[in-house]
Amino acid sequence: MGNPLSDDALDQLFRTARTYNGYHDKPVSNEQLAAIWDLMKMGPTSANMLPARLVWCTSDEAKERLAKHALDSNADKIRKAPVSVVVGMDTDFHEHLPEFFPHTDAKSWFAGDPEGRKVHALRNSSLQGGYFILAARALGLDTGPMSGFNNDDVDAEFFSDTPTVKSNFISTLGYGDPETIYARGPRPDFDRFNSIL
Amino acid sequence: MGNPLSDDALDQLFRTARTYNGYHDKPVSNEQLAAIWDLMKMGPTSANMLPARLVWCTSDEAKERLAKHALDSNADKIRKAPVSVVVGMDTDFHEHLPEFFPHTDAKSWFAGDPEGRKVHALRNSSLQGGYFILAARALGLDTGPMSGFNNDDVDAEFFSDTPTVKSNFISTLGYGDPETIYARGPRPDFDRFNSIL
């Protein structure tokens, strides 16, 4: 049976980790992006549906294509980060379930329910977004997730060839520069938003 | 700048961690539930909105109230687990933003947009769901997240006094029994669902 990770690890994952607005001038390799995926893909999704589809913008050109659809305050962060990633979601995830959930006909649970699939895709690709953030931190990197952008425009920019894929959120990625962050937002005590029955 | 966690830590969080169907007969204390919250609350949400609201069912009576609204295959897992938790989401999260995001009037961004708030609440409470799963694992515990239940009935059962709170997903929690799991579902290579631009 498991034991808690070290205090240093809990700090790196949760307690001293922060959302960064800017990064050190230190590159992030394609191998590191694959290492993040190889961790985050192991996290659970409903019926192993794995709806997340990621576009990692590493070139100045790709970052500019993303930045132009973001709020002004986010666009500059996207341009300057070593990597900026679009976390998308495939609303036709069910097409892959014969491969990813092979022991039963899970595809049929979702095939006739396009509205339900939107909810499943959003819920489960967001779970995967949480895994992405913590996988990056576990590998010594930092993230800057954000929702302030035009989803339809980002979809047209990056997913026009795969119209069942929609953007969920975007994030910057790199080695965070502590000079770029502000005081941490308040966090509520357990009793505020939890009950034990 | 950060370094990767140890291989043992990455295994515990992602690589050998599993979704459990059953647990050892070892209790989980209320202090452990609070420790999970104290980690998961540190994870980022959009504008620090923190929409997740958790109901931890630790008594047989509470677990039965939850189990009766779940699919048959899930009900027994809920009854037998040391703890079963409802991860809910407050669609009126914006009411708290003057406290949680005090440096600007973020409440006004969401106040007139009830449909948009549903999406923000689902996205961000699911992110928090990912933090919940990984916080539990970081503390040596295991989870069994599931979507197979009647959301409306669970809302009526647990959130009738707080009608802006809706159920997102549920999970069991405890020290996982390896006897209760099956072969792991396939996970795709990086090139399958990722692109680098």
Side-chain angles (χ1 to χ4, degrees), chain A residues 41 99 123 168 187 192, chain B residues 41 99 123 168 187:
Chain A
K41 74 181 181 184
E99 176 185 352
R123 173 185 297 120
N168 183 348
R187 296 300 200 276
R192 183 80 176 277
Chain B
K41 75 181 180 185
E99 176 184 355
R123 173 184 298 118
N168 183 349
R187 297 298 202 278

Side-chain angles (χ1 to χ4, degrees), chain A residues 22-84:
Chain A
Y23 298 87
H24 291 294
D25 184 19
K26 181 177 176 181
V28 178
S29 69
N30 291 357
E31 289 69 28
Q32 286 175 291
L33 307 184
I36 292 172
W37 173 254
D38 283 340
L39 291 178
M40 65 179 280
K41 74 181 181 184
M42 306 311 282
T45 53
S46 183
N48 202 28
M49 62 176 62
L50 293 158
R53 305 290 181 265
L54 283 77
V55 180
W56 307 85
C57 300
T58 65
S59 66
D60 287 345
E61 181 195 354
K63 283 181 249 184
E64 184 57 37
R65 285 175 60 193
L66 182 57
K68 69 185 180 189
H69 303 300
L71 294 184
D72 282 346
S73 55
N74 288 334
D76 206 44
K77 300 177 196 172
I78 291 167
R79 287 187 189 100
K80 289 183 177 171
V83 179
S84 292

Side-chain angles (χ1 to χ4, degrees), chain A residues 10 13 28 30-32 34 41 53 57 68 83 85 88 93 98 108 118 120 139 156 176-177 191 197:
Chain A
L10 298 179
L13 291 167
V28 178
N30 291 357
E31 289 69 28
Q32 286 175 291
K41 74 181 181 184
R53 305 290 181 265
C57 300
K68 69 185 180 189
V83 179
V85 58
F93 59 82
S108 69
K118 291 181 187 176
H120 287 288
L139 293 174
D177 179 357
D191 291 346
L197 299 180

Side-chain angles (χ1 to χ4, degrees), chain B residues 44 52 72 74 121 133 144 153 168 173 179 188 191-193 195-196:
Chain B
D72 282 347
N74 287 335
I133 291 167
D153 290 351
N168 183 349
L173 176 72
E179 299 289 319
D191 291 346
R192 183 79 176 277
F193 291 148
S195 55
I196 298 178

Side-chain angles (χ1 to χ4, degrees), chain B residues 97-157:
Chain B
L97 291 183
E99 176 184 355
F100 294 147
F101 204 67
H103 56 285
T104 189
D105 181 16
K107 179 178 173 178
S108 68
W109 304 345
F110 304 100
D113 184 18
E115 289 305 309
R117 290 205 305 274
K118 290 181 187 176
V119 174
H120 287 287
L122 179 56
R123 173 184 298 118
N124 286 280
S125 69
S126 298
L127 280 174
Q128 291 184 277
Y131 308 147
F132 155 74
I133 291 167
L134 288 169
R137 291 174 173 181
L139 294 172
L141 291 157
D142 299 294
T143 63
M146 50 185 97
S147 293
F149 65 97
N150 186 306
N151 287 72
D152 289 342
D153 290 351
V154 167
D155 295 349
E157 184 76 43

